[in-house]
Amino acid sequence: MTFRPYLLLMHPEDILALTPAGLCCKLGSFHIDPTRAVERALITHAHSDHARAGHRAVLATRETLDLMRLRYGENFAGSTQAIRYGESVKLDGVTATFHPAGHILGSAQIAVEAEGLRIVASGDYKNVADPTCAPFELVPCDVFITEATFALPVFRHGDPSAEIAKLLYSVSVFPDRAHLVGAYSLGKAQRLIALLRQAGYDSPIYLHGAMEKITRYYESRGVVLGELRLARGATKPTLAGTITICPPSALNDLWTRRFPEPLNAFASGWMRVRARARQQGVALPLVISDHADWDGLTATIAATGAGEIWVTHGQEDALVHWCGTRGLKARPLDIVGYGDEDDGGEADE
Ligand SMILES: [Zn+2]
Ligand SMILES: [Zn+2]
């Protein structure tokens, strides 16, 4: 082990500590993804469990700020400051730098540095290509804070294009039926559309009204999604043989009555668990996730070079145990309130 003199000066917990409002940097007077209203919040991404309304000041990427504004209204924070990937700000002697997390549009990892010690709070992340957001950037650090949504060896997401091929095959086999694909409104829905376009599907794709604003925002940021129509305006016969993207909750809703012989699909990392798909009445489970799978999590942790790992929302125990077997110091961070919007939780809006 190499001698790191800063260890004498500062412990990671002196830079970031867990408080009732979430991760707090006392030295820099800010919180990261706080779960309660605070003076100064640095936000990794716009999913509602990480990005809440009511903070005095918010620092985040432009996309995260715009998405928060779309969802919460103009006055979601007292003041806002946009930061670009690769850009740093000094906050009372602490430096914070934002790096792409590859999770959804605008998602960032936040590197916090003081006295030569670097802690990376990665928020939610995935290390696979996604046509709707900037790719995950590996940031070497001393302490890496990782999510653990799919941190069990059974979770291996595989190639999303193979899942898209399953969907397109089903559409070709059942040309009289409407395919409804449940997908979380922010991130997953737009990625699904982009993946369908990548696969060469160029028919109009129908949207549930709940996804319209966010999807249009993605387009305004240069994400190409092809022809989109609202399912609301379509007649039943025209929906035969089409694909409609909707929030997962809409799959078991009266809303589906407007579709001819609807066939339910659901795009989520949880669809790896067949019993879960069956339970939810999903005929066509699609394993597509915006979170790193077991291999992605462990490979990323190893690649950061961090000697210490803090594990949040999900299967903390398995990942903490894995770190131990690799000689890494690890501990769970029990942050209450994470994982209730995207794949991290069951719910959606
Ligand atoms: Zn998220
Ligand atoms: Zn999360």
Side-chain angles (χ1 to χ4, degrees):
M1 204 177 273
T2 48
F3 177 67
R4 308 285 296 267
Y6 66 77
L7 287 176
L8 299 176
L9 305 172
M10 196 162 280
H11 293 287
E13 286 80 4
D14 297 333
I15 299 178
L16 279 180
L18 198 55
T19 68
L23 273 177
C24 175
C25 176
K26 277 222 175 75
L27 287 172
S29 317
F30 63 85
H31 288 75
I32 296 179
D33 292 353
T35 53
R36 299 180 185 176
V38 299
E39 283 294 308
R40 182 151 66 180
L42 276 54
I43 306 282
T44 60
H45 68 288
H47 277 143
S48 57
D49 49 330
H50 295 258
R52 293 169 198 255
H55 305 306
R56 179 75 72 86
V58 172
L59 175 67
T61 63
R62 176 190 164 173
E63 289 80 5
T64 295
L65 294 174
D66 286 343
L67 288 163
M68 290 177 76
R69 199 170 288 120
L70 269 185
R71 308 184 112 186
Y72 301 133
E74 277 303 319
N75 301 319
F76 72 92
S79 69
T80 61
Q81 185 185 341
I83 185 166
R84 278 190 294 274
Y85 292 136
E87 198 182 333
S88 298
V89 283
K90 270 246 185 263
L91 300 163
D92 306 338
V94 178
T95 303
T97 311
F98 283 55
H99 301 273
H103 176 57
I104 61 167
L105 185 65
S107 66
Q109 311 172 69
I110 302 174
V112 178
E113 275 179 272
E115 310 257 348
L117 184 65
R118 184 189 288 155
I119 304 180
V120 170
S122 57
D124 292 341
Y125 67 93
K126 70 173 177 295
N127 58 338
V128 294
D130 178 339
T132 66
C133 65
F136 177 85
E137 182 187 323
L138 187 77
V139 184
C141 54
D142 301 291
V143 179
F144 185 61
I145 306 178
T146 181
E147 60 143 318
T149 306
F150 291 109
L152 284 175
V154 300
F155 291 113
R156 288 191 161 90
H157 300 327
D159 182 359
S161 65
E163 303 299 289
I164 293 294
K166 275 189 218 165
L167 171 60
L168 292 177
Y169 177 74
S170 180
V171 171
S172 72
V173 171
F174 301 109
D176 299 327
R177 302 185 65 176
H179 282 67
L180 306 184
V181 187
Y184 300 96
S185 302
L186 170 52
K188 184 67 64 61
Q190 297 76 26
R191 183 178 175 212
L192 210 56
I193 297 167
L195 286 171
L196 282 162
R197 298 311 186 197
Q198 268 188 350
Y201 184 76
D202 55 11
S203 302
I205 292 173
Y206 289 82
L207 286 183
H208 185 286
M211 295 171 158
E212 188 186 9
K213 269 200 295 185
I214 291 170
T215 305
R216 295 296 176 203
Y217 177 72
Y218 266 65
E219 290 184 299
S220 78
R221 299 301 297 153
V223 179
V224 178
L225 298 175
E227 188 184 346
L228 303 174
R229 294 180 186 170
L230 284 180
R232 195 195 299 139
T235 60
K236 201 164 187 171
T238 59
L239 291 167
T242 63
I243 297 173
T244 298
I245 317 285
C246 63
S249 61
L251 289 175
N252 301 310
D253 198 284
L254 288 179
W255 176 80
T256 60
R257 286 194 186 169
R258 75 186 64 208
F259 296 92
E261 295 182 67
L263 191 153
N264 285 0
F266 187 4
S268 165
W270 296 110
M271 290 298 104
R272 177 64 68 206
V273 185
R274 293 287 144 163
R276 195 136 167 174
R278 226 175 298 123
Q279 223 171 49
Q280 296 178 356
V282 176
L284 185 61
L286 304 173
V287 185
I288 300 177
S289 177
D290 287 335
H291 297 267
D293 65 5
W294 175 255
D295 292 331
L297 292 167
T298 54
T300 303
I301 288 170
T304 61
E308 186 167 337
I309 311 300
W310 298 351
V311 187
T312 70
H313 58 328
Q315 322 275 352
E316 283 103 346
D317 297 350
L319 207 52
V320 167
H321 176 80
W322 179 88
C323 290
T325 66
R326 304 287 299 242
L328 302 172
K329 197 172 156 191
R331 66 177 177 104
L333 284 185
D334 294 311
I335 300 175
V336 178
Y338 278 179
D340 59 5
E341 179 172 20
D342 59 2
D343 275 349
E346 306 284 325
D348 61 274
E349 39 184 3

